[in-house]
Amino acid sequence: MLKILKYSFFDLVRSRWSYVYFLFYLLLSSVLLFLNNNISNAIITLLNVVIVLVPLIGTIFGVMYYYDSQEFTQLLLAQPIKRKSIFMGQFLGVATSLSLSVLLGLGIPFALYGLFQSNVIFDFLILIVVAVFLSFIFSALAFNIALSNTNKIKGFGYAILLWLFLAVIYDGAFLIALIYFQEYPLDKFTLIATLFNPIDLSRILILLKLDISALLGYTGAIFKDFFGTLFGSLVSFGVLVIWVVLPLWRMVRLAKRKDF
């Protein structure tokens, strides 16, 4: 698995798309720091970009890599190598390369700007950790979609639909439910519904750490009472870990049963 991981990682690192992804974050963070002249404001602005773009790129890149490497995968399958090792190696190569692009693209400008001497370094670390989690989660979901659909057009269509649902449609349906059932106690429903969407969960974690949860109104107070505690933070990161583990478990099962 390590050899496949190493090959996949360096193959993706040499890809022009990895450079474009890295340069985008490098330029964006540099411009934001230049315009805001404040690290905390730059982190808040980056939140909106990272929460939307990282899942999208993770999903599209994961599906694209799987379909583009099908011939190489079939060659590996003909060798005495476990299917689990092949697909876990490829997945880790994709997720690690995407995470590294985000880490370096955001980290270099902030480090040069004096992040390590500021009092918001912990907020920035939370942003990076969330971005890494989202890269791993949506790369795993992408491999699940690709393994379930031999047709490339269907695979890309389902990948876009998944991202669109979790990034846009889920929030709209959640808001409609809160308005429609506003006369009922919705504290537990709100918390549980948030855990079922890694994008919303990641956004709330960062907002709470940045102390701007008041912008969320009554819902923000509920989130702060739970996610703002040590127990709530542990539960949140535990749920993000589950969001990585469950798709990986299903990916391995699909790979073992799939007829290539």
Side-chain angles (χ1 to χ4, degrees):
M1 185 178 75
L2 292 177
K3 289 184 178 180
I4 298 172
L5 164 61
K6 183 179 178 181
Y7 172 82
S8 300
F9 176 77
F10 284 107
D11 182 42
L12 288 166
V13 166
R14 291 192 297 267
S15 170
R16 62 180 178 179
W17 293 112
S18 294
Y19 289 110
V20 170
Y21 192 48
F22 161 71
L23 289 173
F24 171 79
Y25 280 113
L26 185 70
L27 292 174
L28 177 64
S29 53
S30 300
V31 170
L32 288 176
L33 287 170
F34 176 76
L35 294 177
N36 286 301
N37 199 28
N38 184 288
I39 296 180
S40 181
N41 291 339
I43 293 175
I44 295 172
T45 308
L46 279 173
L47 163 66
N48 299 313
V49 178
V50 168
I51 289 298
V52 174
L53 189 62
V54 169
L56 176 62
I57 297 300
T59 308
I60 297 300
F61 211 78
V63 171
M64 182 174 66
Y65 181 81
Y66 172 84
Y67 286 126
D68 287 347
S69 62
Q70 274 188 315
E71 294 182 359
F72 175 67
T73 302
Q74 291 173 358
L75 177 64
L76 290 176
L77 289 170
Q79 309 300 318
I81 306 174
K82 292 182 179 180
R83 290 190 174 193
K84 178 181 178 180
S85 299
I86 294 173
F87 289 99
M88 283 295 293
Q90 291 181 340
F91 158 74
L92 290 174
V94 172
T96 304
S97 63
L98 291 176
S99 301
L100 187 63
S101 296
V102 177
L103 176 62
L104 294 178
L106 297 179
I108 292 175
F110 276 86
L112 294 176
Y113 198 80
L115 173 69
F116 297 106
Q117 286 76 40
S118 69
N119 56 356
V120 295
I121 182 171
F122 185 70
D123 299 336
F124 180 78
L125 290 177
I126 291 292
L127 178 67
I128 292 296
V129 169
V130 164
V132 171
F133 264 115
L134 289 176
S135 296
F136 274 78
I137 290 169
F138 282 88
S139 296
L141 292 173
F143 270 78
N144 275 270
I145 292 173
L147 280 167
S148 302
N149 297 275
T150 306
N151 189 297
K152 292 184 180 181
I153 297 176
K154 282 187 176 181
F156 277 103
Y158 287 136
I160 294 293
L161 186 62
L162 173 69
W163 171 80
L164 189 64
F165 173 76
L166 292 176
V168 181
I169 299 175
Y170 189 93
D171 286 343
F174 184 39
L175 182 60
I176 291 173
L178 290 178
I179 295 174
Y180 189 78
F181 297 102
Q182 59 183 335
E183 297 179 358
Y184 299 91
L186 299 174
D187 297 11
K188 292 182 179 179
F189 169 76
T190 303
L191 294 174
I192 294 173
T194 302
L195 298 177
F196 278 95
N197 189 339
I199 296 179
D200 282 348
L201 181 59
S202 302
R203 181 188 293 114
I204 289 168
L205 279 174
I206 300 174
L207 288 176
L208 291 176
K209 297 304 177 185
L210 291 173
D211 261 344
I212 54 177
S213 57
L215 297 176
L216 299 174
Y218 171 71
T219 309
I222 297 173
F223 290 147
K224 191 169 186 178
D225 287 341
F226 179 75
F227 294 113
T229 63
L230 177 60
F231 175 73
S233 298
L234 292 176
V235 170
S236 303
F237 284 109
V239 171
L240 289 176
V241 171
I242 292 174
W243 266 103
V244 177
V245 173
L246 286 182
L248 284 181
W249 172 76
R250 186 175 183 274
M251 181 190 76
V252 173
R253 287 194 64 189
L254 285 173
K256 288 180 178 179
R257 296 180 178 183
K258 187 175 177 63
D259 183 10
F260 292 91

